[in-house]
């Protein structure tokens, strides 16, 4: 049987990845670019990022026929968002002469969960720049909780943690709390600033992004290791918010305690052990039979599996 080509695009808030792969697993092209969430950088910038990636892929392997192209995009939170993203992808493909049989456009976490479960029941909680949860009952019900963006929600996300750190530093600087915190020292070191004025100039820069706010979260673990009470409180709050996402999405598929895997992904759950452990503890209190699994591969690998599953459907 002739090997077919699938394409996966993972359009996240922080970075966008593209991979073209044969159905036998051989990779033909890989590239990573900047983020492509419409709510973070706008339509024109997203179109430029996607078009550039597609053009580079086409130049590397011209005249390639693609069986399935899966566009897994952050920022698809409503039907209106979906229509905008589909329009962007259509414009991008008009500029790149790929021949594509089937195009899938989905929220990035939706696609990732389908790639993870391969048709079986499961749930995924992601805490990266933003936060969101999806659950699939293994039949026809796919539900979500969260993922509404930093202005409306995203509790427990990297952006949210970064914001809590920034607010704690400002409160301490104002004298609105008597609780000392090491977070200020760590953040000043990270950003190479020496005073609050320089910190605020960084935050209020016209090109400041969600990803930059989320990057602040990286100092939390160091502060926790030093016993910083403010940092520990932020970690507990983040874990609690993420557990609420998970519990709510499980309730939506009427989970009753059977064998079930809850997958975890994103920088907060992958890199902050205290938050991950507390999150599992909070969820297990409600659902003691849940099995937790930290995603080991890059999201693009699960989106490739999502594309491959569509090829398999056609071949059956």
């Amino acid at each position: 049987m002739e090997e077919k080509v699938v394409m996966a695009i993972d359009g996240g808030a922080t970075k966008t990845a593209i991979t073209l792969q044969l159905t036998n697993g051989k990779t033909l092209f890989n590239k990573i670019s900047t983020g492509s969430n419409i709510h973070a950088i706008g339509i024109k910038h997203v179109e430029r990022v996607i078009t550039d990636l597609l053009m580079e892929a086409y130049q590397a392997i011209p005249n390639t026929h693609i069986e399935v192209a899966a566009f897994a995009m952050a920022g698809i939170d409503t039907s209106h968002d979906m229509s905008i993203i589909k329009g962007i992808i259509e414009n991008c493909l008009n500029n790149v002469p790929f021949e594509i049989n089937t195009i899938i456009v989905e929220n990035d976490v939706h696609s990732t969960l389908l790639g993870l479960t391969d048709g079986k029941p499961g749930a995924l909680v992601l805490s990266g720049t933003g936060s969101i949860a999806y659950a699939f009952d293994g039949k026809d019900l796919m539900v979500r909780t969260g993922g509404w963006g930093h202005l409306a929600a995203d509790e427990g996300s990297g952006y949210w943690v970064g914001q809590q750190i920034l607010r704690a530093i400002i409160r301490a600087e104002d004298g609105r709390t008597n609780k000392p915190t090491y977070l200020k020292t760590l953040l000043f070191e990270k950003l190479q600033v020496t005073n609050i004025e320089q910190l605020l100039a960084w935050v209020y820069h016209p090109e400041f992004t969600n990803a930059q706010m989320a990057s602040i979260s990286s100092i939390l673990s160091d502060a926790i290791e030093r016993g910083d009470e403010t940092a520990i409180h932020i970690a507990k709050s983040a874990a609690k918010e993420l557990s609420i996402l998970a519990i709510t999405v499980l309730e939506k598929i009427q989970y009753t305690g059977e064998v079930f895997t809850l997958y975890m992904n994103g920088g907060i759950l992958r890199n902050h052990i205290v938050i991950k452990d507390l999150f599992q503890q909070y969820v297990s209190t409600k659902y003691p039979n849940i099995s937790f699994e930290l995603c080991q591969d890059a999201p693009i690998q699960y989106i490739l599996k999502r594309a491959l599953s569509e090829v398999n459907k056609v071949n059956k």
Side-chain angles (χ1 to χ4, degrees):
M1 183 183 297
E2 182 184 355
E3 295 296 335
K4 296 177 180 179
V5 179
V6 296
M7 177 168 70
I9 290 185
D10 174 28
T14 305
K15 63 184 180 181
T16 304
I18 183 172
T19 296
L20 276 76
Q21 188 179 94
L22 292 174
T23 48
N24 66 7
K26 180 182 178 182
T27 299
L28 303 175
F29 180 80
N30 266 325
K31 182 78 177 183
I32 294 176
S33 184
T34 54
S36 54
N37 185 326
I38 55 169
H39 302 307
I41 64 172
I43 294 171
K44 288 183 179 178
H45 282 76
V46 172
E47 194 167 309
R48 188 176 307 129
V49 170
I50 301 298
T51 298
D52 288 349
L53 284 172
L54 289 170
M55 185 58 74
E56 286 193 54
Y58 185 81
Q59 289 170 347
I61 44 172
N63 303 317
T64 297
H65 180 88
I66 296 171
E67 186 68 20
V68 175
F71 290 82
M73 308 293 293
I76 300 179
D77 302 321
T78 65
S79 57
H80 180 63
D81 293 334
M82 177 64 82
S83 121
I84 291 173
I85 294 292
K86 284 184 174 179
I88 290 171
I89 292 168
E90 184 178 346
N91 290 340
C92 294
L93 291 173
N94 284 337
N95 296 321
V96 184
F98 273 126
E99 287 186 26
I100 304 174
N101 268 8
T102 302
I103 297 173
I104 300 168
V105 182
E106 292 170 335
N107 176 282
D108 56 337
V109 184
H110 180 132
S111 277
T112 300
L113 179 56
L114 288 177
L116 278 164
T117 61
D118 193 26
K120 299 181 181 66
L124 170 62
V125 173
L126 183 143
S127 177
T129 302
S131 60
I132 190 170
Y134 267 85
F136 180 52
D137 69 352
K139 297 173 185 175
D140 53 12
L141 182 60
M142 173 75 77
V143 297
R144 65 173 275 178
T145 301
W148 304 115
H150 68 287
L151 294 179
D154 275 351
E155 295 90 348
S157 68
Y159 180 95
W160 184 89
V161 170
Q163 192 175 56
Q164 301 309 305
I165 290 171
L166 183 63
R167 287 177 174 174
I169 291 169
I170 296 299
R171 285 178 68 85
E173 188 72 11
D174 272 349
R176 285 182 280 150
T177 176
N178 294 321
K179 189 176 293 184
T181 178
Y182 200 70
L183 290 168
K184 175 181 172 182
T185 300
L186 291 172
L187 186 57
F188 278 22
E189 288 176 358
K190 176 179 175 62
L191 300 180
Q192 296 295 291
V193 299
T194 57
N195 55 56
I196 290 293
E197 288 77 12
Q198 290 176 353
L199 172 61
L200 292 177
W202 178 76
V203 171
Y204 288 108
H205 190 280
E207 296 181 3
F208 185 76
T209 66
N210 295 7
Q212 285 176 289
M213 180 66 83
S215 73
I216 293 176
S217 65
S218 64
I219 70 171
L220 192 70
S221 292
D222 194 356
I224 290 171
E225 287 179 6
R226 297 168 185 264
D228 189 292
E229 289 184 25
T230 302
I232 293 168
H233 174 73
I234 292 171
K236 287 180 177 179
S237 299
K240 179 58 71 174
E241 293 291 352
L242 294 174
S243 72
I244 292 169
L245 277 184
I247 289 167
T248 303
V249 84
L250 290 170
E251 289 172 345
K252 286 181 178 180
I253 61 166
Q254 299 182 341
Y255 171 69
T256 56
E258 63 275 14
V259 175
F260 196 91
T261 301
L262 175 59
Y263 297 94
M264 303 174 291
N265 209 357
I268 292 298
L269 288 167
R270 292 181 64 84
N271 301 322
H272 295 269
I273 295 173
V274 170
I275 294 177
K276 177 179 72 70
D277 289 349
L278 285 169
F279 164 74
Q280 293 180 194
Q281 177 184 320
Y282 295 150
V283 175
S284 295
T285 300
K286 172 79 173 180
Y287 296 118
N289 294 327
I290 284 282
S291 171
F292 297 92
E293 187 173 322
L294 193 63
C295 295
Q296 298 301 321
D297 296 326
I300 194 75
Q301 296 303 317
Y302 304 116
I303 296 160
L304 279 167
K305 290 178 182 177
R306 165 71 179 113
L308 289 166
S309 72
E310 201 69 23
V311 175
N312 294 333
K313 278 185 190 177
V314 174
N315 290 337
K316 282 183 179 178

